[in-house]
Amino acid sequence: MFKKSLLINKDWNLSLILIPILLSFFISLYVLLDVDKSTETLKFLYEAASFKLENIYELGAFGVIVFLLVLCILPIGSKKIILPNRPIFTNASWCAMMFVAGMGASILWASPVEWAQTINSKPFGLDSTSNGIIEYSQAYPLFHWGFVGWALYALPGVAFTIAILKNPNIQLTFGGILVKGDNVLSKLLKNIFDIVFILAILAGAGVGMGVAFPVIAEMTSYLFGMDNSFSFQIFVLLFCLCIFGTSVYKGLESGIKRLSNLNVFLVIIMLFIILIIGPTKYIISNSIDSTFFMLKNYIDMSFFSESSFAQSWTVFYWAWWMALAPFVGTFILQISNDKSIRQMILGTIFIGSLATFLHFYVLGGLTLNLYERGLMDVPEMIKDMPSGRIALEALLTLPMGYYLIILYAFIATIFLCTTYDSCSYVLASTAMKQASKKPTKSLRIIFALLLVVQPIIIMSLDGIDSIKYILVLSSIPLIFIYALMIYYISKNALKN
């Protein structure tokens, strides 16, 4: 049985398996053979793309959230999502799972330090001594991880919803919903769109893993008293791969679900403990102030262009959200049975945003308080020190800091493994010839292995800048795909 499951299956779409594997191999080979030269080339291409496409990313992303909110007031917004043989979750459970989608190991990388990275990046030409820089440094993380990003997630979810309501057996990929017909050209276009679908998820998920693994490695190396070397980070990566690789092969869905539910509970407990034993009044006050400041300046931040800050950060984040959207859009649809399209859109945008905001309120508020009290110069530290180390140092300033580090590392590890367990399943489903057939175990293992390629490249390149280069370049085809999805949704909305 085991040998048979590892053989090439006649139900596999080999082009959707081999092309991503070959592209990942050649990109890895190119980068690793000459890291300095490849980084320089990637930087040149990235700067050219971000400069020319900056306005398209900003206008397009803002346009998506306006489009979806308008969709909510149209008749199609009240249309029920009916998914036969899928569970119907209560509103409380649905909100909880949407909340979970906003949690993950990558946000544990960003939330303690992004305000400091914002200060160093000088938005609107402000520096660390300028009036208003602290307010912008707290507001920009909420902006980049908030409403527009979750709207970018929701758009594929709405497109997939409309498609599956029309045809329950349709394959939920770009090619499956956007390309019709069985002629040679249609089949070629469908394969191209599906390859973009797979590569987008690999790029977005790869970046998430690439920034998350060093955080986990930093915490675990401290707990075990070991040096956080590159080889140790690779060991941690392979250890996590074994966890979610075993999960996708054995199909331990119930166990992973229980572990994931436990992890959500632990995240809430961790944030609550830090809020209570940390600078409680400061965190609450800053959370309210930063939210109102972000809302007040939302339009200015949305269209702040022709600047190195927008090209370095806003374009990067919109590209990242777009790359992960096919995977998250599928997840959103799967949990929204018996909900209306309006509920799905509003829940995704506002509940998802709340989940991410809480991390920045508490973890970002803690490190900002330490900075303002003169205990940790985080903007200076982040220039040479990884985010995981800064989070670790911040937690150690609190009572029970050692135990909070254990909790932090455990949460990051399990969230990473459960997320990429599901991600490898979605990728494997895409590579099946028929949407109605479940992906084979061996195919899920192939994509689980493929998911760790880019994190290794990112860690070898050593730096957030190289992450931006790879992600933004790989997201360019998604601009065209997103335009097609908006057209597809609009056409069906008008029919309705």
Side-chain angles (χ1 to χ4, degrees):
M1 180 73 89
F2 179 78
K3 288 183 179 179
K4 183 179 178 181
S5 67
L6 292 179
L7 295 174
I8 293 177
N9 194 295
K10 59 182 176 62
D11 294 320
W12 294 1
N13 187 331
L14 290 179
S15 63
L16 297 184
I17 302 169
L18 295 178
I19 292 176
I21 289 174
L22 290 173
L23 282 173
S24 295
F25 172 77
F26 286 119
I27 291 172
S28 305
L29 192 64
Y30 167 71
V31 169
L32 298 175
L33 284 177
D34 191 337
V35 173
D36 293 335
K37 184 178 179 180
S38 60
T39 302
E40 186 179 337
T41 303
L42 287 170
K43 181 181 180 181
F44 171 79
L45 294 173
Y46 160 78
E47 288 177 346
S50 62
F51 177 75
K52 292 184 180 298
L53 299 174
E54 173 189 10
N55 289 329
I56 293 176
Y57 275 103
E58 291 190 333
L59 290 170
F62 188 81
V64 167
I65 191 170
V66 173
F67 172 75
L68 290 175
L69 292 178
V70 169
L71 207 64
C72 287
I73 63 177
L74 295 177
I76 195 173
S78 59
K79 195 171 186 64
K80 283 276 187 180
I81 301 169
I82 306 299
L83 304 175
N85 303 318
R86 295 293 179 94
I88 297 175
F89 298 102
T90 64
N91 286 333
S93 297
W94 181 73
C95 288
M97 283 185 288
M98 194 65 71
F99 189 82
V100 172
M103 298 180 179
S106 57
I107 202 171
L108 296 178
W109 157 76
S111 53
V113 299
E114 189 161 324
W115 65 266
Q117 291 171 329
T118 302
I119 288 178
N120 291 341
S121 299
K122 301 179 180 179
F124 295 99
L126 303 173
D127 59 29
S128 58
T129 61
S130 302
N131 291 330
I133 187 61
I134 294 297
E135 288 81 0
Y136 274 110
S137 73
Q138 295 175 87
Y140 256 112
L142 303 181
F143 173 71
H144 285 147
W145 289 77
F147 306 129
V148 168
W150 283 93
L152 291 171
Y153 275 172
L155 186 73
V158 174
F160 293 155
T161 297
I162 292 172
I164 205 167
L165 290 178
K166 293 173 64 177
N167 178 8
N169 296 317
I170 197 168
Q171 191 165 22
L172 296 179
T173 63
F174 294 149
I177 69 171
L178 297 175
V179 181
K180 306 300 178 186
D182 292 321
N183 56 50
V184 175
L185 181 59
S186 295
K187 289 180 179 179
L188 177 62
L189 278 175
K190 184 179 184 302
N191 274 348
I192 291 173
F193 278 27
D194 287 347
I195 288 169
V196 171
F197 181 94
I198 291 174
L199 291 177
I201 295 176
L202 287 174
V207 168
M209 297 174 81
V211 298
F213 278 120
V215 173
I216 298 170
E218 190 70 56
M219 299 287 178
T220 52
S221 66
Y222 172 81
L223 293 172
F224 290 106
M226 300 176 67
D227 181 41
N228 185 25
S229 61
F230 178 74
S231 57
F232 182 78
Q233 292 181 16
I234 295 297
F235 171 77
V236 172
L237 185 151
L238 294 176
F239 174 75
C240 291
L241 171 64
C242 289
I243 295 176
F244 73 80
T246 302
S247 170
V248 296
Y249 184 80
K250 295 291 187 181
L252 301 177
E253 294 180 4
S254 60
I256 288 294
K257 284 180 180 177
R258 291 193 189 100
L259 201 56
S260 182
N261 291 337
L262 171 64
N263 218 32
V264 176
F265 174 74
L266 292 176
V267 168
I268 295 171
I269 291 295
M270 181 184 75
L271 295 178
F272 181 75
I273 290 173
I274 294 172
L275 175 64
I276 297 302
I277 67 176
T280 308
K281 289 183 180 179
Y282 179 91
I283 290 174
I284 294 174
S285 174
N286 264 29
S287 300
I288 296 170
D289 291 344
S290 61
T291 303
F292 277 108
F293 187 87
M294 184 263 295
L295 294 174
K296 177 184 174 183
N297 294 277
Y298 202 87
I299 299 299
D300 289 340
M301 295 162 76
S302 296
F303 300 107
F304 176 40
S305 60
E306 298 182 8
S307 71
S308 59
F309 177 81
Q311 291 161 13
S312 295
W313 287 105
T314 303
V315 171
F316 161 63
Y317 272 115
W318 293 171
W320 193 2
W321 289 93
M322 287 170 67
L324 278 175
F327 162 54
V328 181
T330 305
F331 168 77
I332 290 168
L333 170 59
Q334 289 173 344
I335 67 170
S336 297
N337 194 17
D338 202 43
K339 300 290 184 292
S340 69
I341 290 177
R342 182 183 299 113
Q343 285 176 302
M344 185 177 73
I345 292 172
L346 297 178
T348 301
I349 294 174
F350 294 107
I351 297 173
S353 295
L354 174 63
T356 54
F357 287 175
L358 288 177
H359 289 78
F360 287 101
Y361 290 157
V362 177
L363 297 174
L366 171 64
T367 53
L368 181 59
N369 177 260
L370 293 171
Y371 169 67
E372 293 197 324
R373 288 163 56 199
L375 298 178
M376 287 178 65
D377 190 355
V378 183
E380 194 61 34
M381 293 167 68
I382 196 62
K383 295 177 182 178
D384 303 305
M385 189 180 291
S387 168
R389 186 69 196 184
I390 293 172
L392 187 151
E393 297 288 348
L395 292 174
L396 286 174
T397 65
L398 299 174
M400 302 164 45
Y402 181 83
Y403 300 103
L404 286 171
I405 291 170
I406 295 175
L407 196 56
Y408 204 98
F410 180 81
I411 289 168
T413 302
I414 301 304
F415 261 131
L416 195 75
C417 293
T418 53
T419 298
Y420 292 102
D421 176 2
S422 302
C423 192
S424 59
Y425 187 93
V426 170
L427 288 167
S429 299
T430 305
M432 297 293 288
K433 289 180 179 178
Q434 297 181 27
S436 58
K437 292 196 174 183
K438 289 186 177 181
T440 60
K441 293 178 179 180
S442 51
L443 187 56
R444 282 180 267 169
I445 291 176
I446 288 172
F447 280 105
L449 291 169
L450 198 56
L451 278 170
V452 304
V453 173
Q454 193 174 336
I456 294 174
I457 297 175
I458 291 170
M459 288 190 288
S460 67
L461 288 174
D462 189 26
I464 182 65
D465 288 337
S466 56
I467 299 172
K468 298 175 191 173
Y469 306 154
I470 294 172
L471 185 65
V472 172
L473 291 171
S474 63
S475 73
I476 292 173
L478 294 175
I479 298 173
F480 175 67
I481 299 285
Y482 261 66
L484 288 179
M485 282 195 292
I486 290 173
Y487 172 75
Y488 174 81
I489 294 169
S490 301
K491 183 176 68 174
N492 285 279
L494 291 174
K495 282 183 181 179
N496 190 71

